[in-house]
Amino acid sequence: MIRRDYLLRMIEEFVQMLARLNALKRAREWDRAAAAADSEFRKLMGTDAAALARLSETELLARVMSGEPTQVVRQKTLMLATLFSEAGEVADGQGRAEEGRLCYLQALHLLLGVLGRGDVFEMPE
């Protein structure tokens, strides 16, 4: 039950952050959106998007799994993939196309990794 509560709280906080990030993107406040995304990367992974985008797929997955119960890894991976996608959009909005591309690629690799594990589950939107 504690793990379920932890997971639900983690997802709820993440969804609230996504709502704030989307509002900043709509307002074209790219610097504040980048700061919000970096803050969430630090909360979720302990470092910023630029450092994580340079990691190999194996290194990134190892960091996702580090210290987390097995039940949380899949959701954390999906959250991280979403966050990378959002960070890519913010980087593009700031005119940093190469950083945006790296973020989009990391998001894709994470998503394909989750899908490739063969687990049968419902994917969140």
Side-chain angles (χ1 to χ4, degrees):
M1 185 59 129
I2 292 173
R3 288 183 180 156
R4 179 173 162 70
D5 290 341
Y6 167 73
L7 184 60
L8 289 175
R9 183 174 43 88
M10 187 171 77
I11 292 170
E12 181 179 308
E13 289 173 4
F14 185 75
V15 168
Q16 290 171 355
M17 182 282 310
L18 282 178
R20 286 190 306 274
L21 187 60
N22 282 324
L24 291 169
K25 288 187 319 185
R26 278 193 306 274
R28 296 192 174 283
E29 295 185 33
W30 301 115
D31 291 337
R32 288 183 59 203
D38 271 347
S39 174
E40 190 64 21
F41 273 112
R42 288 184 195 285
K43 180 179 170 186
L44 200 58
M45 299 295 294
T47 190
D48 62 356
L52 291 170
R54 289 188 297 270
L55 295 177
S56 71
E57 184 178 345
T58 304
E59 291 170 324
L60 187 58
L61 288 174
R63 292 204 55 187
V64 169
M65 290 186 239
S66 177
E68 292 291 357
T70 306
Q71 300 87 344
V72 175
V73 171
R74 183 185 61 181
Q75 281 78 13
K76 188 173 178 181
T77 304
L78 291 171
M79 290 167 59
L80 188 58
T82 301
L83 191 53
F84 266 120
S85 179
E86 294 292 326
E89 199 171 318
V90 170
D92 282 346
Q94 291 180 309
R96 300 184 336 244
E98 182 60 25
E99 187 177 328
R101 186 185 70 76
L102 288 174
C103 288
Y104 286 132
L105 282 174
Q106 285 292 38
L108 179 61
H109 288 160
L110 287 169
L111 188 57
L112 290 174
V114 168
L115 293 173
R117 287 192 195 116
D119 298 334
V120 177
F121 58 90
E122 186 176 317
M123 289 291 289
E125 295 274 333

